[in-house]
Amino acid sequence: MKKILLSAFAIFAMMACNNEEPVRLQEQSLITFEDSFVEAKTRAAVDPSITTTSIDAFDVWGFINQPSGVVFDAERVTKSEDGGWGYTNLQYWMPDKFYYFHAVAPVDDANIVVDTKEMNTAGLGTISFTNDGGTTDLIYASKHVPTGSDVINNAPAPVELKFMHLLSKIKFTFTNGFPKNTSLKVTDIKITNAPAKGSVAVNKEREDFSWNLVQGETTELAFGDVNGGEALASLASDECAAERLTIPADATRNYKITFTLELFYGDQSAGVSNKEVTLENQEFAIGKNYNITATIDRKNFYDEELNPIEFTVVEVEKWDESVINGNIHDDESTNPEQPEQPAEPEVLAKPVVESTVADNVVTLTWEAVEGANAYSVQVDDDVEETVEGTSYTFTGDYGVTYTFTIKALPANEETHKASEATVVTVEIPAQTTPEPEIPAAGSALSVADFLALANAENEYQLTGVITRVVNTTYGNFDLTDTTGTIYIYGLVTPEGAEKTQWAAAGLRMGDTITIKGKYSLYNDEPQISKAVYVSHVPAPFVEAIATTVEAAETTASIPVSANVAWSVTCDAAWVTSFTQNGENNGAIEVAMEANESEENRVANFTLTADGLEAVVVKLTQKGKPAAGVVVGGNSDFATLTNSSSYGDQKTTNGWVGKNCAVMAGGSNDSNPVFKTMMGADSSVKGMTMNGKTSAVGTITSPTISTGCGTLKFKYGYPFSESNGVKFKVEIKQNGAVVETYTINEPSATKLKAYEYEAEVNVSGEFQIVFTNLSPSNSTSNKDRYTIWDVEWTGCN
């Protein structure tokens, strides 16, 4: 079939107009959200896009300074009946912080998948989108909010989220170009090959957003009929029944458009034409609204141009003569008076405009102009926007000057013309960043913060592990915590005696030490010279990792880490032999009988060294599963090394802790050993999740294939912290959360062991994820909960 001439189509874009509404402050210091900022114009066609009026929920992500300092993680914010916005996981402003917020709507839509792994201060990450017929909008907003030093009496205003459309919007307008006495019906308008799938990276500045399309995936966009399916009169125009949304694409793409035409004389059909048009090399850009217009006339109704109906004169018959008797009178009506010509429309008065700037928000106001019913506002060279009121609000960038052009538009174009433009130039001042406060002398700092501060005047306290020893006479060594390492040149007593404390304290590699000192440089390398000893926690002489084997296994190897020579004994008769492999570091190689019973059995291996307390490590051999039973499992936290520092941890089987320390049972209650809570067995170990808001602790299991019937674990907190215990446990499959349990013990007791059990009943592969919910909302080490003895039964 031949194509309609493309010159019949005129393409133009209209930018979205602005609409802002205030929302009350719900509670002092509480983080709240202002109403949306999206297109709100009313059109004849059905509009599928989200507007300021129609939006009722969005998901928000937020963090402080770095994405690891998570404040909101896909938090659902919803609109109440009175127009206010609220959310469940309430968070509060903290002083002297930089907050970054990102929001997406609509919510709970399977066609929208948000991947935040590349989230940063500029944007959210990547959003994957499936366009199902062009009826679902996709909007995104971001906002950066710095806080001052007083968030109690001077809390930041609600977070004003100004959403942008990430899609393009399309509609059609048809004109009947035939002469009078004809009418034209246009029906079943479609784009048959619009992009169906794509992703947009919003982890950068807005002007850099771009879509990546999934090639070969298309969808049909149905725009319905023109004029309600009724025919258009001659020279009349009308829009399609519905607007549709499409994934933006560059000008290399072609679009197939189909529709049906029918021409009428009165109520008689004169012809039907089914059309297919190729719209070539048309770009559809993010956030723009396109009107595709077409005039249908004799040149493009059919494949070939219609021929006009022509006339020729053949003959004019002669007059029939007749006589009429009567008088002839002059008729003055043959020269009627000419009607008066309408007066030329007057030009409206120019608006008198005033401007104010608050933060990075510009507000323009003006008095109403007589004869005007609307005003046009243009920012720099952007598309003009129509405003019905007498004010306009614009949010810009810091340190940029903007030019605003405002005109009054006539209510009646027969009596008035648009006014001349009023031009206003407004500068948004550059944003100033407050100087960071220097911590008070004597404060406890991490190694990274101490190095970054580089303050040679004040003395600060550091805690870390001795990871390298250079000189044991004077105490020259490396101190390492989870953030970095610094060299200590000389260790002195608390009383100030020089370089005598190493031997006096009995220090050695692996001990956790707390010192005080000042920043200094030697050969341009940072160090602490003459550090003052505060305290230390000795490293155990040996660490042996508890081991679990299956019922059918007859050999096992128990890893041993030691700093002295040691020997070993065993109390189990079913262990046929064992040997010590290595005098210091090494392993216990075990031979044993297969376990034919259904009960687990335990062998205790006792490690001893001259003059030091014995260490017991367990070897557990699982019982033989009963017929038809799916075997469950347990965590292997015993393979971890004790640590009082919060960082990354990983077990032999792949359990991963983020911002976690490692606690253990043992003979005392001195961090990281807690006998009262975890018992006297040093092989019992657990991960302790930090509740610090900038480094929230999580524990994630490897992918487990047995399914999960019943899940149980022990938990408790080892420190005196007033807000109790609050964390969540998620069961995930293929990355999606299928079950969530919240553990909340506001009156939990320090050093008390608690136990939790849940019926999960999830079959197939799964993961377990523990997340600290940080009830104190503290920026320092707080809400530290230990998890241990995680066990689960299988599920078919």
Side-chain angles (χ1 to χ4, degrees), residues 12-33:
F12 63 93
M14 297 180 290
M15 296 298 290
C17 68
N18 302 344
N19 186 17
E20 293 184 66
E21 299 176 6
V23 171
R24 67 183 185 280
L25 186 62
Q26 296 181 1
E27 182 179 333
Q28 193 171 30
S29 297
L30 182 66
I31 300 175
T32 59
F33 293 90

Side-chain angles (χ1 to χ4, degrees), residues 173-177 182-186 226-239 262-264 294:
T173 300
F174 281 82
T175 300
N176 179 4
T182 64
S183 58
L184 179 70
K185 184 183 291 187
V186 184
V226 166
N227 197 29
E230 299 297 322
L232 289 169
S234 173
L235 304 182
S237 301
D238 197 24
E239 298 178 353
E262 187 171 6
L263 188 66
F264 290 85

